[in-house]
Amino acid sequence: MELIPPNTNIDFMGNRRYAYAFTTIMILLSVLSYPIKGWINLGIDFTGGVTVQVQFKNKVDTEHIRKALEPMSANATVQSFSMGSKAEDYLIRMESPEEGSEKFSMQLQEIFDKSFGKGTAEIRGLEVVGPKVGHDLRQAAIWATIVALAMLLVYMAFRFTLSMGLGAIFCLVHDLIIIYGFFVWTGKEFNLTILAAMLTCIGYDINDTIVVCDRIRENLRTMRKQPLAEVLNSSINQTLSRTVLTSGFTLLVVVALLIFGTPQLKDFAWALFVGIVFGTYSSIFVAAPLILGINKYIPVKRG
């Protein structure tokens, strides 16, 4: 299936300054999110705390639940995730309890019985993450991302060239910074599920970049006398149809999750949506121009 005609010849390299400007603006916006909006909203996976899943038989509202929980926590977050059933399902996040989880669950049930009537609320799940575990998970998440990027750089340097590897890694860092900025600006919670989405985006985006780099390597063998910018332009144009089709169909699934998914799935889908959109952009508009720029210092080998 060809979405874009085979003889398409868009001058990506000639217009790379526009891509540089847009990329710089997006990175600055993401970086500025920290001094303006503060640190990212970490979930209890990283900060420690307790998550409680409660089902109410009667209709209740989040403010009523939050008020009932004030004696136990002043900073409880209450989120509805009912999926059209008569019962009302809520997800409650609170600080880690000092007592054991069993005693905490009993205290919580007593509060619900007192506030909403006996037998109207059922605790269906309770998960406690201690502060030490949260800290360890946060450190492990950072190291997992760093190691993944380092291993990909080594792979790209051996599989292709060092300049292509550096270009590909910069694309991934660019994508991760923008996802980070998106979550800070929107105030959405960053938890292990979102981390999994970010690592998925790394895998997806590097695959896109590898396809372009593979075509560059092939064209470097057959277009030895042409300038590198012309080789890069031809490579991007030749893979453009595949890149747009793959990303477009993947985004269809992600959009379906955004429309029909639960709140937890929607946050996961938002991370994928931003990662795929900017990953596709970076594989076309960032990777090849960077290879051209790095070529001045680390020449790309031909043949």
Side-chain angles (χ1 to χ4, degrees):
M1 183 177 178
E2 289 283 354
L3 181 68
I4 297 170
N7 57 351
T8 300
N9 187 23
I10 302 171
D11 186 10
F12 292 101
M13 295 301 105
N15 296 300
R16 64 183 183 278
R17 288 176 180 78
Y18 298 110
Y20 286 151
F22 179 73
T23 302
T24 303
I25 290 171
M26 293 308 298
I27 290 177
L28 279 176
L29 279 175
S30 299
V31 172
L32 286 174
S33 65
Y34 174 66
I36 295 174
K37 297 282 289 184
W39 187 245
I40 197 168
N41 178 24
L42 293 173
I44 67 164
D45 297 332
F46 299 118
T47 59
V50 57
T51 302
V52 187
Q53 185 182 339
V54 189
Q55 185 176 76
F56 293 90
K57 293 179 181 175
N58 302 324
K59 187 172 178 59
V60 294
D61 59 71
T62 54
E63 194 55 38
H64 194 181
I65 298 171
R66 197 175 289 115
K67 194 171 182 181
L69 292 171
E70 278 181 356
M72 296 186 74
S73 171
N75 302 311
T77 60
V78 183
Q79 190 174 22
S80 170
F81 67 101
S82 298
M83 294 293 291
S85 60
K86 290 182 180 178
E88 300 260 326
D89 289 293
Y90 285 89
L91 197 64
I92 301 168
R93 293 184 176 88
M94 307 165 63
E95 299 88 349
S96 294
E98 293 179 359
E99 59 275 12
S101 58
E102 190 175 340
K103 189 177 178 182
F104 176 78
S105 177
M106 290 172 63
Q107 289 178 349
L108 205 56
Q109 187 65 60
E110 287 175 9
I111 285 179
F112 288 142
D113 289 344
K114 186 179 176 182
S115 302
F116 303 100
K118 193 171 178 60
T120 57
E122 180 189 357
I123 296 175
R124 311 194 74 175
L126 190 146
E127 182 184 358
V128 179
V129 179
K132 176 73 169 59
V133 175
H135 176 267
D136 291 346
L137 283 173
R138 192 164 63 243
Q139 295 295 319
I142 293 170
W143 280 110
T145 306
I146 293 173
V147 170
L149 291 175
M151 295 303 290
L152 284 172
L153 175 61
V154 172
Y155 169 74
M156 290 293 291
F158 275 100
R159 181 85 167 78
F160 300 98
T161 64
L162 180 59
S163 54
M164 290 185 191
L166 291 172
I169 294 304
F170 181 85
C171 286
L172 297 180
V173 173
H174 157 272
D175 302 341
L176 293 178
I177 289 174
I178 289 177
I179 295 174
Y180 170 84
F182 172 80
F183 272 82
V184 175
W185 280 113
T186 58
K188 292 181 178 296
E189 185 180 284
F190 187 89
N191 51 36
L192 280 178
T193 306
I194 305 303
L195 175 67
M198 289 180 75
L199 293 175
T200 303
C201 288
I202 287 178
Y204 189 92
D205 297 348
I206 196 68
N207 184 53
D208 253 2
T209 308
I210 282 174
V211 170
V212 177
C213 288
D214 198 43
R215 186 56 58 95
I216 292 171
R217 187 176 58 176
E218 288 178 10
N219 286 338
L220 283 171
R221 292 171 183 159
T222 57
M223 301 171 67
R224 295 189 179 189
K225 294 185 178 178
Q226 278 90 338
L228 181 61
E230 193 175 324
V231 176
L232 296 173
N233 258 337
S234 298
S235 304
I236 297 173
N237 279 294
Q238 288 165 11
T239 55
L240 193 58
S241 184
R242 178 263 173 204
T243 302
V244 173
L245 280 173
T246 305
S247 301
F249 283 118
T250 309
L251 282 176
L252 284 178
V253 179
V254 176
V255 170
L257 285 175
L258 283 173
I259 296 173
F260 302 109
T262 61
Q264 289 76 23
L265 271 180
K266 284 183 179 179
D267 286 351
F268 178 77
W270 272 119
L272 287 181
F273 184 85
V274 175
I276 291 171
V277 168
F278 281 92
T280 304
Y281 161 78
S282 64
S283 67
I284 297 172
F285 293 98
V286 179
L290 272 176
I291 294 169
L292 188 62
I294 296 171
N295 183 59
K296 297 175 185 175
Y297 310 99
I298 308 174
V300 176
K301 291 182 181 177
R302 299 191 176 215

